[in-house]
Amino acid sequence: MHSGQLSINQATAETSGTDDLAVACRAAGIDQVSLWRHKYLGQDPARTAATLRGHGLRVSSLCRGGFFTGTRPEQEAYEDNRRAIEEAVILGSPILVLVCGPAVGGDIAAAESAIRRGIERILPAAGDAGVTLAVEPFHPMFLAERSAVVTLAQAHRLLDDLTDPALALAIDTYHVWWDPALQAGLDRAAGRIAAVHVADWLVPTPSMLAGRGLPGDGVIPLGDLLTRIEATGFTGPVEVEVLNPDVWARPVAEVTADVRDRMARLW
Amino acid sequence: MHSGQLSINQATAETSGTDDLAVACRAAGIDQVSLWRHKYLGQDPARTAATLRGHGLRVSSLCRGGFFTGTRPEQEAYEDNRRAIEEAVILGSPILVLVCGPAVGGDIAAAESAIRRGIERILPAAGDAGVTLAVEPFHPMFLAERSAVVTLAQAHRLLDDLTDPALALAIDTYHVWWDPALQAGLDRAAGRIAAVHVADWLVPTPSMLAGRGLPGDGVIPLGDLLTRIEATGFTGPVEVEVLNPDVWARPVAEVTADVRDRMARLW
């Protein structure tokens, strides 16, 4: 595949401040970051936006909206997602990534219904704001804790049903690589993929949530997978998102340079 | 659902000897066990069979054959599966459960081919011996370490392609409950399910391999799921298989009685 745009997802630098991450990205020649809402400087998206602009950085996406299921009332989920969309606007982020919410108590059907209702309700605000909502299918092992949307086929169904130009897909290699129906899902993803996350699958896997690998350290054929994603017409930034305490423990400037070099080898 | 047959899968008592497990099963009124090959008394299936018969126990299935992929040569996998079939005959087990083998290096297509070849080659021996090979789809999180067959749809494809009466399915609630296509897979499973394993999904999940829950301790709607499995016509024993060090640490007679009571509440 061609040498695409690179973005660092902030979860790769969970223990660093957003200002340090910005400096490290620029030092590595990376001009895009994907932010997490709990990492705003001074808990202030406007101040964060100004700092990133000062470093010449763009925000490729914001993580995360969603969580339409679970213990919080639907109205609270709605208001939180409204705020996330407003923050995306302040940050200049074209995309808000949705982690849809778990199947609480194992009730998958109820979760799917709540997710559909929640997205449908928030879509007009996203459209008005010019922010694309990107449904991210999660690995099935997160069904009961993070997302009842665990396959690309499920995410497609949401897009099919809600038919709104502000609704799209986020594809994370760590979450989807196992799926025997992955290529079938990619075959119908033309024009639908808004965001791409990259992490590798380590063997053995040290932890479900934070046992992800830097590109090349695991077993996912990432170069091949990115080529297949690009074949759908996707030309946006690839966001490297590696939740792993071993990565977090390294100096952030070393990590950003390492990620840049690893992705150059993949491309 | 009706009060079905109950079997204890030996993985629920990993740290107990097979003789102790037999005594504990009888004390709990359970007359079937599902054995693991590494737990034979004196590493001798004939001695193990005699001991179990002495306690009035039947063997519902043997775990495990398979591992047609991976580092060992295909001939070695073949011979090992031949031995497993012979052991199943000695033990009077009608079923050998297949854990098909991982996608080594992340190559899913190569793994699927090796699995198909491996099963095809061993099927005549299984048929001659009167032992049913039960393909067990594993949770996708085990793709790179245990099985490249991670959905019921994939397992069905193997049965469709190989069309042999000695090839069937093993359904484990822990491995399949997340699948949005599960009901579609059950809808075409009539006459195909040879074995059913039960474990619950704990939240949070303490470990991928050995973080499973006793029935009722997790979030899987097990009663509902067993009813749906039974609706396919399955009338065989339900094998409770809970890999969990907290369960292993308890006296085995307490565990077998607990399992019996929990399953009685589900049924």
Side-chain angles (χ1 to χ4, degrees):
Chain A
M1 77 184 290
H2 78 93
S3 176
Q5 304 174 60
L6 177 61
S7 178
I8 300 284
N9 184 295
Q10 188 157 31
T12 308
E14 173 62 30
T15 54
S16 297
T18 299
D19 37 6
D20 291 337
L21 174 61
V23 171
C25 282
R26 290 312 310 198
I30 297 166
D31 63 0
Q32 298 188 56
V33 289
S34 170
L35 288 193
W36 278 75
R37 296 174 69 198
H38 66 285
K39 298 286 284 182
Y40 296 145
L41 294 164
Q43 304 183 328
D44 180 353
R47 178 178 148 196
T48 305
T51 298
L52 294 173
R53 270 197 306 274
H55 287 288
L57 283 166
R58 283 182 292 151
V59 177
S60 55
S61 72
L62 180 62
C63 299
R64 63 191 185 197
F67 272 80
F68 300 108
T69 71
T71 49
R72 68 177 179 177
E74 293 193 5
Q75 178 65 21
E76 194 178 317
Y78 170 73
E79 288 166 10
D80 184 47
N81 277 279
R82 285 286 309 241
R83 281 193 297 275
I85 289 167
E86 289 161 14
E87 292 162 16
V89 171
I90 292 168
L91 291 158
S93 171
I95 295 158
L96 176 66
V97 175
L98 300 185
V99 181
C100 290
V104 177
D107 192 337
I108 299 173
E112 287 183 320
S113 295
I115 289 165
R116 184 171 316 219
R117 276 197 310 277
I119 294 177
E120 190 166 25
R121 189 167 169 207
I122 197 68
L123 266 170
D128 290 347
V131 172
T132 298
L133 304 181
V135 174
E136 182 171 6
F138 260 48
H139 193 285
M141 65 188 174
F142 295 118
L143 173 62
E145 295 183 78
R146 279 176 177 75
S147 176
V149 176
V150 296
T151 64
L152 191 46
Q154 279 177 295
H156 271 305
R157 272 200 295 278
L158 283 167
L159 269 66
D160 292 342
D161 290 352
L162 296 172
T163 58
D164 190 303
L167 192 60
L169 305 171
I171 309 270
D172 186 316
T173 59
Y174 181 81
H175 289 310
V176 305
W177 78 285
W178 61 272
D179 187 351
L182 177 57
Q183 190 54 51
L186 291 176
D187 286 343
R188 51 186 304 246
R192 287 191 158 184
I193 301 177
V196 173
H197 297 175
V198 169
D200 216 335
W201 184 276
L202 298 177
V203 177
T205 309
S207 142
M208 284 166 56
L209 181 63
R212 308 184 200 188
L214 288 166
D217 282 353
V219 298
I220 306 177
L222 287 173
D224 173 66
L225 182 46
L226 289 175
T227 299
R228 289 156 65 196
I229 290 170
E230 189 181 49
T232 69
F234 177 77
T235 58
V238 169
E239 304 172 344
V240 174
E241 182 188 45
V242 179
L243 286 73
N244 190 315
D246 294 339
V247 175
W248 299 335
R250 294 167 56 191
V252 63
E254 180 190 308
V255 171
T256 51
D258 189 14
V259 165
R260 174 200 62 203
D261 295 344
R262 286 166 181 265
M263 291 304 291
R265 285 196 292 274
L266 271 187
W267 269 320
Chain B
M1 77 183 289
H2 78 93
S3 176
Q5 303 175 61
L6 177 62
S7 177
I8 299 284
N9 184 294
Q10 186 157 31
T12 307
E14 173 61 31
T15 54
S16 296
T18 299
D19 38 7
D20 290 336
L21 174 61
V23 171
C25 281
R26 290 312 309 198
I30 296 166
D31 63 1
Q32 298 189 56
V33 290
S34 170
L35 288 193
W36 279 75
R37 296 175 69 199
H38 67 285
K39 299 285 284 182
Y40 296 145
L41 293 164
Q43 304 183 328
D44 180 354
R47 180 179 147 195
T48 305
T51 299
L52 294 174
R53 271 197 306 272
H55 287 287
L57 283 166
R58 283 182 294 150
V59 177
S60 55
S61 71
L62 179 62
C63 299
R64 61 186 188 200
F67 272 82
F68 300 109
T69 71
T71 50
R72 70 176 178 178
E74 292 192 5
Q75 178 65 22
E76 194 178 317
Y78 170 74
E79 288 167 10
D80 184 47
N81 277 278
R82 287 285 310 240
R83 281 192 297 276
I85 289 167
E86 289 161 15
E87 292 162 17
V89 171
I90 292 168
L91 292 157
S93 171
I95 294 158
L96 176 66
V97 175
L98 299 185
V99 181
C100 289
V104 177
D107 192 336
I108 300 173
E112 288 184 319
S113 293
I115 289 164
R116 184 170 315 219
R117 275 196 311 277
I119 294 176
E120 190 166 25
R121 190 167 169 207
I122 198 68
L123 266 170
D128 289 348
V131 172
T132 298
L133 304 180
V135 174
E136 182 171 3
F138 260 48
H139 193 284
M141 66 188 173
F142 295 118
L143 173 62
E145 296 184 78
R146 278 177 177 74
S147 176
V149 176
V150 296
T151 64
L152 191 46
Q154 278 177 296
H156 271 305
R157 271 200 295 279
L158 283 168
L159 269 66
D160 292 342
D161 291 351
L162 297 172
T163 57
D164 190 303
L167 192 61
L169 306 171
I171 309 270
D172 185 316
T173 59
Y174 181 81
H175 289 310
V176 305
W177 78 285
W178 61 272
D179 188 351
L182 177 58
Q183 190 54 50
L186 291 176
D187 285 344
R188 50 186 305 246
R192 287 192 158 184
I193 302 176
V196 173
H197 296 176
V198 169
D200 215 334
W201 185 276
L202 298 176
V203 177
T205 309
S207 142
M208 285 165 55
L209 182 63
R212 309 183 199 188
L214 287 166
D217 282 353
V219 297
I220 304 177
L222 287 173
D224 172 67
L225 182 47
L226 289 174
T227 299
R228 290 156 64 196
I229 291 170
E230 190 182 50
T232 70
F234 178 78
T235 57
V238 169
E239 304 172 344
V240 175
E241 182 188 45
V242 179
L243 285 75
N244 190 316
D246 294 340
V247 175
W248 300 336
R250 295 166 56 189
V252 62
E254 180 190 307
V255 170
T256 50
D258 190 15
V259 165
R260 175 201 61 206
D261 295 344
R262 287 167 181 264
M263 291 304 292
R265 286 197 291 274
L266 271 186
W267 268 319

